[in-house]
């Protein structure tokens, strides 16, 4: 911002509207929920990317000049910019550009999609896809290699489960990777076999690397195309920012270059994958010149996922008593990386889903006394009730994704067994205990629609309106609490609550408007809405119909 513009903004922040410079952007014509006091306004004015007026429409009209863009919401409701506090940005774009099995209703349908993809694309080399999940399938089991071999007898096919913590490889892929019944499972991984000791093709957590080595590393052009697709998708959903988890180090530089070229329309907060974080640990936090791309966190893994029975539990799985899950990183290894991150002044975001996984991470965080660094636990799905208050007392952010509950609760009671659901997906208990809860989607694991996430938080029902006996309706959030998850607390989780997360004079103009009023519409109507306006740094990056 040049000196002249800076003085104009300062004048507008302190002057009466009649005496101020015209705004760049005026928005009115629908309810505006500020996420602050007062809770509602009629109009917002923006100058040089900053909010310079929040209040009555008549007063805002005095800021209209010959070059002011005026947006009439036409009854749509506007909110502080929604931020997805846990997603995988490149993965979202890759989902749009590759074999996507999301929504498959059976193993047979998933295999049919693979057959159609191969016939249409005729690819060379190994084919990778993702998105299958067996919940509700008539086969009542994981996808396996016997489903895939008839449609791909010679082409290696590797398909990642929706949670990203298990995959299935067909026989051609297993042969190409040299995986046999005699292959030992790596530490923190599992190679599943049937009752006769034969490979099913399913590899869990660290064992996935055995076949993922068949994948050719994407080129820079491939990665750029994936980010471009992801930005289009996220902006159209109404997200103004994304906390991008498990980011590759090379992607940090690519995103910064895209930002410098004006090709990064959303705000990105990177948590670099711990296996790739050496340069960040050495240099400390960094940001692009515009501040649009910030990198100051590393992403670690303590355990796997509940659906693939890799989440680390204190007691065995009720539906697989031979296992109580996996520790992807040993406590000793995790402790060493955490100590290094603390020395570098970095935030740590550690994946933990099972109660044993969460307790272990809390123990290590407590040893290091890192409350000021705002370290996070990603997912925090199954937590012992006695551990919930520790999030607040240690200053640990619970980074949770509401849509996981409405999907997982179809199988979580069977995985855990009777009496073990207390503390599961316990958003309300976390808030009541004083913890900060940042809301995300975990896309592409989930669809990534903020309206689905908001609905899940306030309804705690699946998308058909079903709620099972173990779904703990007392964990539902109020509309105001749910809004804070995706706005102010998401901003806090990236150290930006002074600049983002509410519609207040002086803050950055990141704004989201939906066709439905999330604060008043019946819950069954929430997911029927759509984003109609996404504004980042005072610029419109998506305008819906």
């Amino acid at each position: 911002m040049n000196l002249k513009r800076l003085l104009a903004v300062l004048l507008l922040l302190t002057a009466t509207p009649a005496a101020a410079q015209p705004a760049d952007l005026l928005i009115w014509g629908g309810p505006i929920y500020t996420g602050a006091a007062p809770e509602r306004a009629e109009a917002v004015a923006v100058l040089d990317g900053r909010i310079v007026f929040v209040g009555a429409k008549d007063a805002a009209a005095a800021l209209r000049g010959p070059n002011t863009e005026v947006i009439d919401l036409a009854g749509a409701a506007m909110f502080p910019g929604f931020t997805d506090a846990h997603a995988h940005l490149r993965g979202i774009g890759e989902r749009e550009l590759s074999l996507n099995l999301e929504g498959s209703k059976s193993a047979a349908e998933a295999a049919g999609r693979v057959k159609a993809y191969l016939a249409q694309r005729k690819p060379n080399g190994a084919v990778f896809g993702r998105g299958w999940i067996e919940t509700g399938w008539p086969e009542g089991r994981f996808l396996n290699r016997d489903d895939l071999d008839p449609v791909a007898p010679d082409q290696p096919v590797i398909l990642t489960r929706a949670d990203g913590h298990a995959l299935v490889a067909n026989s051609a892929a297993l042969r190409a990777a040299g995986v046999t019944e005699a292959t030992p499972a790596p530490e923190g991984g599992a190679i599943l076999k049937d009752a006769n000791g034969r490979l099913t093709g399913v590899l869990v957590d660290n064992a996935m690397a055995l076949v993922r080595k068949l994948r050719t590393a994407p080129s820079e052009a491939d990665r750029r195309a994936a980010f471009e697709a992801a930005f289009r998708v996220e902006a159209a959903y109404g997200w103004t920012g994304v906390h991008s988890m498990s980011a590759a180090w090379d992607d940090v530089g690519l995103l910064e270059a895209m930002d410098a070229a004006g090709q990064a329309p959303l705000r990105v907060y990177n948590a670099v994958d711990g296996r790739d974080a050496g340069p960040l640990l050495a240099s400390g936090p960094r940001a692009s010149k515009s501040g649009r791309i910030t990198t100051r966190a590393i992403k670690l893994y303590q355990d796997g996922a509940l659906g693939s029975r890799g989440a680390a539990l204190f007691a065995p799985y009720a539906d697989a008593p031979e296992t109580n899950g996996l520790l992807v990183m040993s406590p000793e290894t995790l402790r060493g990386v955490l100590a290094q991150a603390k020395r570098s002044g970095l935030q740590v975001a550690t994946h933990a889903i099972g109660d044993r996984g969460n307790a272990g991470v809390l123990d290590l965080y407590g040893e290091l006394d890192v409350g000021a660094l705002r370290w996070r636990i990603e997912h925090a799905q199954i937590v012992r009730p006695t551990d919930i208050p520790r999030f607040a007392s240690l200053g640990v952010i619970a980074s949770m994704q509401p849509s996981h509950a409405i999907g997982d609760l179809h199988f979580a009671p069977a995985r855990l067994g009777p009496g073990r659901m207390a503390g599961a997906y316990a958003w309300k208990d976390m808030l009541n205990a004083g913890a900060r809860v940042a809301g995300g989607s975990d896309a592409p694991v989930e669809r990534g629609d903020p309206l689905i996430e908001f609905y899940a938080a306030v309804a705690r029902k699946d998308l058909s309106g079903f709620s099972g006996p173990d779904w703990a309706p007392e964990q539902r959030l109020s509309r105001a609490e749910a809004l804070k998850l995706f706005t102010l607390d998401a901003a806090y989780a990236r150290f930006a609550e002074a600049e983002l997360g509410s519609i207040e004079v002086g803050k950055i103009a990141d704004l989201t408007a939906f066709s439905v009023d999330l604060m008043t519409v019946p819950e069954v109507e929430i997911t029927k809405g759509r984003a109609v306006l996404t504004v980042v740094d005072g610029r419109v990056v998506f305008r819906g119909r």
Side-chain angles (χ1 to χ4, degrees):
M1 184 185 298
N2 62 37
L3 180 60
K4 182 178 179 181
R5 293 289 282 176
L6 176 61
L7 292 173
V9 170
L10 292 174
L11 174 63
L12 192 48
L13 293 177
T14 57
T16 61
Q21 179 176 333
D24 296 327
L25 177 65
L26 289 174
I27 305 175
W28 55 45
I32 297 173
Y33 293 91
T34 66
E39 296 179 355
R40 288 186 57 164
E42 293 181 335
V44 171
V46 177
L47 178 64
D48 242 18
R50 295 274 174 175
I51 298 168
V52 292
F53 177 81
V54 182
K57 179 180 177 180
D58 289 347
L63 301 174
R64 186 171 187 171
N67 298 315
T68 301
E69 180 181 6
V70 178
I71 296 177
D72 188 334
L73 292 170
M78 194 168 78
F79 304 88
F82 269 50
T83 294
D84 190 335
H86 183 114
H88 304 273
L89 187 60
R90 176 149 64 96
I92 293 168
E94 289 171 342
R95 176 178 63 186
E96 300 300 309
L97 303 174
S98 62
L99 173 56
N100 182 8
L101 300 176
E102 181 183 3
S104 297
K105 293 180 172 55
S106 66
E109 181 183 335
R113 290 193 189 186
V114 173
K115 181 179 180 179
Y117 181 89
L118 296 177
Q120 181 180 18
R121 303 290 184 94
K122 296 179 174 58
N124 294 317
V127 171
F128 285 78
R130 68 166 297 142
W132 64 272
I133 184 168
E134 76 288 348
T135 304
W137 281 5
E139 294 91 349
R141 57 167 173 80
F142 286 167
L143 196 62
N144 65 43
R145 65 170 173 161
D146 291 332
D147 299 311
L148 301 179
D149 287 352
V151 300
D154 303 311
Q155 181 104 38
V157 174
I158 298 100
L159 306 173
T160 303
R161 190 175 183 271
D163 61 11
H165 288 268
L167 61 75
V168 60
N170 69 346
S171 295
L174 294 171
R175 287 194 301 270
V179 178
T180 70
E181 280 78 5
T183 301
E187 183 179 358
I191 301 173
L192 301 192
K193 301 175 183 179
D194 64 19
N196 297 317
R198 178 174 175 270
L199 294 175
T200 66
V202 176
L203 308 177
V204 181
D205 286 313
N206 288 351
M208 296 189 294
L210 296 172
V211 295
R212 280 184 169 170
K213 65 186 180 183
L214 299 176
R215 185 168 201 165
T216 303
S219 67
E220 180 177 316
D222 293 334
R223 293 184 289 124
R224 183 183 293 271
F227 281 122
E228 289 172 348
F231 282 136
R232 288 193 297 271
V233 169
E234 298 297 272
Y237 272 139
W239 298 115
T240 60
V242 176
H243 297 191
S244 187
M245 295 289 129
S246 305
W249 178 250
D250 287 346
D251 285 346
V252 172
L254 175 57
L255 284 166
E256 290 173 349
M258 291 177 71
D259 183 37
Q263 298 168 343
L266 304 186
R267 205 171 301 284
V268 180
Y269 182 79
N270 288 311
V272 176
D273 191 295
R275 296 164 294 188
D276 205 16
L280 185 64
L281 287 164
S283 66
R286 59 188 277 166
S288 63
K289 184 177 180 180
S290 73
R292 190 78 65 90
I293 311 298
T294 301
T295 307
R296 66 174 297 172
I298 63 172
K299 171 71 183 305
L300 304 175
Y301 289 84
Q302 171 72 328
D303 64 356
L306 191 68
S308 50
R309 300 186 184 88
L313 304 177
F314 281 110
Y317 280 81
D319 59 356
E322 69 277 9
T323 183
N324 65 342
L326 302 166
L327 291 180
V328 177
M329 292 183 74
S330 70
E332 295 74 22
T333 301
L334 185 56
R335 181 183 286 108
V337 179
L338 294 177
Q340 190 177 1
K342 180 180 179 181
R343 290 193 296 270
S344 300
L346 295 174
Q347 187 184 53
V348 175
T350 304
H351 166 114
I353 287 181
D355 52 9
R356 180 163 61 103
N358 277 281
V361 175
L362 289 169
D363 289 344
L364 291 172
Y365 282 10
E367 286 180 20
L368 291 165
D369 187 23
V370 292
L373 292 176
R374 300 187 187 180
W375 284 10
R376 305 159 50 147
I377 290 182
E378 304 301 313
H379 310 308
Q381 288 180 7
I382 314 298
V383 182
R384 292 183 302 187
T386 54
D387 283 331
I388 288 176
R390 298 175 67 196
F391 281 80
S393 64
L394 296 173
V396 176
I397 295 166
S399 174
M400 305 177 78
Q401 300 78 48
S403 63
H404 282 334
I406 65 174
D408 290 10
L409 285 172
H410 283 281
F411 62 78
R415 293 283 191 274
L416 298 174
R420 293 170 61 186
M421 289 295 291
Y425 313 90
W427 321 309
K428 189 74 168 184
D429 285 351
M430 286 284 186
L431 292 179
N432 287 345
R436 292 269 191 169
V437 179
S441 75
D442 204 10
V445 172
E446 302 286 355
R447 170 56 9 209
D449 184 342
L451 295 179
I452 293 177
E453 298 301 329
F454 193 92
Y455 165 83
V458 302
R460 204 173 175 92
K461 300 173 182 175
D462 73 11
L463 295 179
S464 73
F466 172 79
S467 177
D470 297 302
W471 287 35
E474 66 275 11
Q475 296 296 339
R476 292 177 298 187
L477 301 184
S478 70
R479 307 291 178 107
E481 288 169 336
L483 179 63
K484 193 177 179 187
L485 259 60
F486 303 103
T487 55
L488 194 58
D489 278 350
Y492 177 87
R494 56 156 295 170
F495 302 88
E497 71 276 12
E499 296 271 57
L500 301 167
S502 58
I503 300 176
E504 297 181 82
V505 170
K507 284 197 168 185
I508 295 171
D510 285 8
L511 309 163
T512 303
F514 297 108
S515 62
V516 293
D517 186 339
L518 301 181
M519 310 308 280
T520 61
V521 71
E523 66 182 32
V524 297
E525 300 294 323
I526 291 173
T527 59
K528 297 178 183 179
R530 66 190 186 283
V532 297
L533 185 69
T534 309
V535 176
V536 179
D537 280 326
R539 292 178 52 250
V540 176
V541 298
F542 172 77
R543 198 189 306 255
R545 296 179 180 177

